[in-house]
Amino acid sequence: MPPILEARDLTKTYRAGEAEVHALQGVSLAVQPGEFLALMGASGSGKTTLLQLLGGLDRPTSGEVVLDGVTVSTLDDDRATRLRREKTGFVFQAFNLVPLLSARENVGLPFLLAGRDPNGGEAAARVDEALSLVDLRSKADRRPDELAFGEQQRVAIARAIAGRPAILFADEPTGNLDYATGNEILQYLYRSCAERGQTVVLVTHDAQAGAYADRVLFLRDGRILDEIGLGRRTEHPARPLIERLALLGQ
Ligand SMILES: Nc1ncnc2c1ncn2[C@@H]1O[C@H](COP(=O)(O)OP(=O)(O)O)[C@@H](O)[C@H]1O
Ligand SMILES: [Mg+2]
């Protein structure tokens, strides 16, 4: 199968006045449909920058991103935005829910923004299906402040996958959560992948989180230093990954 996402020799240089930061220095990768990929590395290694380029939230200084067969860099801003809305879902460390809307309304928001009625027909069915995947059907009418933090992040996951995006991107989705709740969130990301074939790209500095992935790319100073194949498993012990990372000097 052709990859669902490809990066070809990506570089990103940030300019801050006179100073230049070479955040990415030639990154190439390919993600297969249905794969759960983790991008790991220390703080400042370029993980978020890479995720933003892969997801079309920012443009590379050089190189190309090909998303579901479309070269993103050849698109103008409007078409790039449309492609991003159709093909990608995002989950961030901060849950970014709308406080005044119920869980169901938050999950339906992307449909509303695309001009579709989230309460009717196929859109409503997809909202329900996404809420079911994160086990929140029974709390669908609660507002974010009536939900625990982990439940709020589960709403964010449901919102990101309801439109069945080609790729779900998650940037440190457990960063604001305690260990047990963080593992729950990772279990739901894994479930989206295992049960409905969702392609997932997870950014994390945490081996416990990376251990949920099929494959881990390890970044250092804006380059991919190594690749660690873990394979699809139903259990996700961190230890084998921690041992591999130790060999890399991490
Ligand atoms: N908007 C920006 N302007 C200037 N430098 C930035 C910007 N965003 C990130 N950087 C720098 O780029 C490097 C990579 O950052 P980032 O991609 O956020 O890494 P990570 O997510 O792995 O912590 C760091 O040195 C960071 O300070
Ligand atoms: Mg980051």
Side-chain angles (χ1 to χ4, degrees):
M1 255 196 281
I4 192 86
L5 177 68
E6 255 185 288
R8 298 179 185 151
D9 208 14
L10 290 180
T11 74
K12 181 72 180 180
T13 302
Y14 292 111
R15 288 191 178 75
E18 296 287 286
E20 286 191 343
V21 179
H22 300 286
L24 293 181
Q25 312 198 57
V27 169
S28 299
L29 59 83
V31 183
Q32 297 305 316
E35 190 176 20
F36 189 152
L37 180 73
L39 303 171
M40 287 192 65
S43 177
S45 59
K47 303 182 298 295
T48 292
T49 300
L50 178 55
L51 194 84
Q52 289 183 340
L53 301 187
L54 294 174
L57 291 171
D58 198 1
R59 289 181 185 271
T61 304
S62 67
E64 281 179 350
V65 173
V66 183
L67 174 58
D68 206 6
V70 179
T71 305
V72 181
S73 48
T74 61
L75 304 177
D76 61 35
D77 283 353
D78 282 352
R79 286 178 61 215
T81 300
R82 214 176 319 138
L83 184 79
R84 192 177 71 235
R85 284 208 186 124
E86 281 169 14
K87 303 277 186 186
T88 68
F90 285 88
V91 178
F92 299 101
Q93 182 169 339
F95 319 131
N96 299 336
L97 301 176
V98 181
L100 291 175
L101 300 182
S102 70
R104 184 188 302 281
E105 289 166 335
N106 267 286
V107 176
L109 200 56
F111 292 101
L112 202 63
L113 293 175
R116 296 174 65 185
D117 174 12
N119 299 313
E122 198 195 336
R126 288 196 179 183
V127 168
D128 281 343
E129 181 198 42
L131 284 166
S132 296
L133 187 111
V134 297
D135 293 326
L136 280 178
R137 281 288 284 277
S138 63
K139 296 184 177 177
D141 294 325
R142 298 200 190 174
R143 285 197 320 265
D145 67 355
E146 299 167 323
L147 295 167
F149 287 148
E151 291 170 334
Q152 293 182 41
Q153 189 64 308
R154 281 152 60 188
V155 175
I157 292 173
R159 181 180 56 185
I161 63 173
R164 298 196 183 156
I167 313 218
L168 172 63
F169 293 101
D171 192 349
E172 307 275 10
T174 60
N176 279 342
L177 302 171
D178 63 63
Y179 179 83
T181 311
N183 269 313
E184 252 174 60
I185 290 302
L186 292 158
Q187 194 62 49
Y188 283 110
L189 288 178
Y190 171 77
R191 193 170 163 187
S192 78
C193 198
E195 289 183 15
R196 46 185 261 172
Q198 178 67 56
T199 309
V200 177
V201 177
L202 166 73
V203 156
T204 181
H205 67 277
D206 176 12
Q208 181 65 42
Y212 281 79
D214 304 323
R215 185 163 64 104
V216 177
L217 298 180
F218 192 81
L219 274 112
R220 188 189 284 164
D221 297 334
R223 291 191 178 88
I224 294 176
L225 189 69
D226 208 347
E227 171 173 331
I228 302 168
L230 296 169
R232 180 66 53 89
R233 297 141 301 135
T234 50
E235 301 291 315
H236 307 98
R239 202 154 152 223
L241 182 55
I242 290 170
E243 285 168 4
R244 292 288 296 272
L245 294 174
L247 291 175
L248 294 175
Q250 291 305 307

